[in-house]
């Protein structure tokens, strides 16, 4: 084992350990976080990049310069454009996360998780996903020459399934989203494969945090507002990791407003906030075109509630009509995204209409996934 110095910390029992191939959660059943000391503060750019990509933040990721990233594994993920919503430079800014190797922001997390799997000597990775994470893990596993299996729920977009299979992944359709996760975990536990989970692996959030690092670098400061989609919360937890580091370093701009958006058809986080609960109760997924955030029982739900409390974040829900309207708003302005990716804009529009948000200046909205992958 030769990873720089990442230390896993159990969220349940606080035990500390080094990563290895087979342990995807603590012996006590708790989920792992990375010790904040495992990666440096977001204060400077690395001179490391081989290509224009998120690896310019390599010194803030849990890898030393001697390690196998970026030359072998990178496919230019990250480094996405930040544009204004309209040519007259008014209103929110959009970060075009769909301009990435496999067409979604999940590439940021996938490249880090697969790099860790490579470093640990894994020969097989297993993932479960409703689509974009599976395509990203499949692509980076292919790039790394590591076998890959992906467990997906029934009804996953045929285009995403074709993409996973094209990368050589073995795809298993396994009932509900929760069934897919259970089947992946069962396989990992039986075979000793590396669990390349975008939910359980804390390394995934090391990748997604580069989204916020790029925004802050481009603007020269933290924006006043991030509007983020929330299903499993992979982007929220990455952004929070950056904000926590900024706050720890005493930066005054470390507390932007966080506006978090769920689909009203599947909103366990919004429900918990409404009830004032500190744990998330599973809900029934009523079905939504925003399939990428339709997570009925988010495994890190309680952690998301902690972030919401820490940053006094607002959670808003949007229905499919609002998502479709936002999607069309984007498309007629040249940005073609999948429905899930339009949900944050729908949330921002609803927040403006209800008076929750006044000016939308200094507001950053990710466009998380490409419209060309939607069913
Ligand atoms: Zn533990």
């Amino acid at each position: 084992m030769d990873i720089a110095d990442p230390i896993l910390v159990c969220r349940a029992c606080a035990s500390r350990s080094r990563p290895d191939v087979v342990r995807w959660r603590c012996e006590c059943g708790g989920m792992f976080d990375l010790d904040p000391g495992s990666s440096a503060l977001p204060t400077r750019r690395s001179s490391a990049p081989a290509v224009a990509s998120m690896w310019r933040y390599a010194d803030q990721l849990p890898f030393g310069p001697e390690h196998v990233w970026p030359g072998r594994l990178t496919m230019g993920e990250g480094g996405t454009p930040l544009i204004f919503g309209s040519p007259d430079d008014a209103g929110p800014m959009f970060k075009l996360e769909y301009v990435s190797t496999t067409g979604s922001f999940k590439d940021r997390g996938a490249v880090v998780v697969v790099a860790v799997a490579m470093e640990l000597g894994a020969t097989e990775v297993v993932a479960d996903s409703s689509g974009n994470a599976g395509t990203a893990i499949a692509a980076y596993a292919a790039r790394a020459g590591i076998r890959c299996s992906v467990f997906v729920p029934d009804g996953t977009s045929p285009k995403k399934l074709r993409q996973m299979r094209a990368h050589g992944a073995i795809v298993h359709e396994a009932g509900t989203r929760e069934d897919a996760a259970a089947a992946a975990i069962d396989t990992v536990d039986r075979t000793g494969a590396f669990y390349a989970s975008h939910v359980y692996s804390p390394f995934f959030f090391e990748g997604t945090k580069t989204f916020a690092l790029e925004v802050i670098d481009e603007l020269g400061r933290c924006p006043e507002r991030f509007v983020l989609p929330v299903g499993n919360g992979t982007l929220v937890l990455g952004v929070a990791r950056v904000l926590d580091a900024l706050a720890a370093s005493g930066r005054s701009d470390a507390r932007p407003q966080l506006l978090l958006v769920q689909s009203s058809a599947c909103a366990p986080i919004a429900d918990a906030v409404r009830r004032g609960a500190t744990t998330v109760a599973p809900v029934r997924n009523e079905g939504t075109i925003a399939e990428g955030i339709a997570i009925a029982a988010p495994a890190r739900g309680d952690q998301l509630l902690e972030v919401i409390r820490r940053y006094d974040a607002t959670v808003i829900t949007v229905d499919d009509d609002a998502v479709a309207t936002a999607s069309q708003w984007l498309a007629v302005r040249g940005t073609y995204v999948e429905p899930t990716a339009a949900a944050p804009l729908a949330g921002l529009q609803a927040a403006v209409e209800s008076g929750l948000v006044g000016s939308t200046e200094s507001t950053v909205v990710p466009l998380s996934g490409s419209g060309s992958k939607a069913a």
Side-chain angles (χ1 to χ4, degrees):
M1 222 284 298
D2 195 33
I3 283 181
D5 278 303
I7 299 292
L8 300 173
V9 182
C10 174
R11 292 183 55 76
C13 74
S15 69
R16 297 167 67 82
S17 57
R18 290 297 182 91
D20 62 35
V21 170
V22 298
R23 289 169 69 252
W24 56 274
R25 67 180 161 193
C26 181
E27 284 72 13
C28 82
M31 301 182 88
F32 289 132
D33 280 343
L34 272 185
D35 184 309
S38 289
S39 47
L41 290 173
T43 51
R44 65 190 172 89
R45 286 172 185 250
S46 163
S47 56
V51 296
S53 73
M54 59 177 250
W55 290 101
R56 69 178 176 273
Y57 300 104
D59 64 340
Q60 290 155 43
L61 297 173
F63 299 91
E66 71 280 23
H67 294 282
V68 294
W69 62 266
R72 287 172 62 189
L73 202 54
T74 186
M75 293 190 277
E77 56 288 333
T80 56
L82 184 66
I83 66 166
F84 284 99
S86 59
D88 61 5
D89 285 12
M93 289 166 278
F94 297 114
K95 190 148 171 70
L96 308 188
E97 289 294 284
Y98 65 84
V99 184
S100 190
T101 301
T102 73
S104 91
F105 81 97
K106 293 288 203 306
D107 289 342
R108 294 180 186 273
V111 67
V112 175
V113 168
V114 173
V116 169
M118 275 178 86
E119 297 238 351
L120 292 170
T123 56
E124 179 162 14
V125 297
V126 171
D128 54 277
S129 163
S130 59
N132 283 330
T135 58
I137 294 287
Y140 285 91
R143 175 82 173 170
I146 297 176
R147 289 196 308 280
C148 179
S149 296
V150 186
F151 291 81
V152 300
D154 295 341
T156 298
S157 155
K159 288 184 181 174
K160 289 174 183 170
L161 297 181
R162 272 203 300 281
Q163 187 180 355
M164 291 176 209
R165 292 191 173 112
H167 293 311
I170 297 169
V171 177
H172 308 268
E173 291 183 71
T176 66
R177 179 68 187 82
E178 288 68 38
D179 294 337
I185 287 170
D186 180 63
T187 300
V188 165
D189 288 346
R190 271 190 302 106
T191 64
F194 182 89
Y195 190 19
S197 171
H198 60 290
V199 181
Y200 280 93
S201 174
F203 292 103
F204 203 93
F205 314 120
E206 289 295 294
T208 58
K209 83 181 184 186
T210 62
F211 162 81
L213 294 175
E214 288 175 11
V215 169
I216 292 166
D217 256 357
E218 266 189 88
L219 299 179
R221 61 174 313 254
C222 207
E224 285 167 27
R225 183 179 299 109
F226 281 107
V227 187
L228 303 172
V230 190
N232 273 312
T234 46
L235 195 50
V236 174
L237 294 174
V239 169
R241 208 163 158 77
V242 172
L243 298 182
D244 291 347
L246 285 178
S249 70
R251 284 263 296 253
S252 60
D253 60 346
R255 292 191 58 86
Q257 183 187 28
L258 296 182
L259 186 62
L260 311 183
V261 183
Q262 294 217 284
S263 164
S264 54
C266 188
I269 305 292
D271 283 357
V273 169
R274 200 175 302 119
R275 290 185 287 108
T278 53
T279 60
V280 173
V283 298
R284 204 166 76 88
N285 178 2
E286 307 283 348
T288 167
I289 56 173
E291 56 177 7
I293 51 171
I295 306 296
R300 289 188 187 264
D302 300 355
Q303 190 172 1
L304 288 166
L305 292 179
E306 282 174 25
V307 169
I308 288 164
R309 284 195 299 276
R310 190 155 72 245
Y311 288 96
D312 198 18
T314 301
V315 186
I316 200 162
T317 59
V318 291
D319 64 20
D320 279 4
D321 285 348
V323 171
T325 302
S327 205
Q328 192 181 16
W329 190 98
L330 289 163
V332 299
R333 285 164 178 80
T335 39
Y336 190 56
V337 302
E338 62 180 331
T340 301
L345 176 62
L348 179 62
Q349 289 171 337
V352 169
E353 277 166 29
S354 68
L356 193 64
V357 165
S359 166
T360 57
E361 286 186 20
S362 194
T363 297
V364 171
V365 184
L367 300 183
S368 58
S370 169
S372 58
K373 294 210 295 184

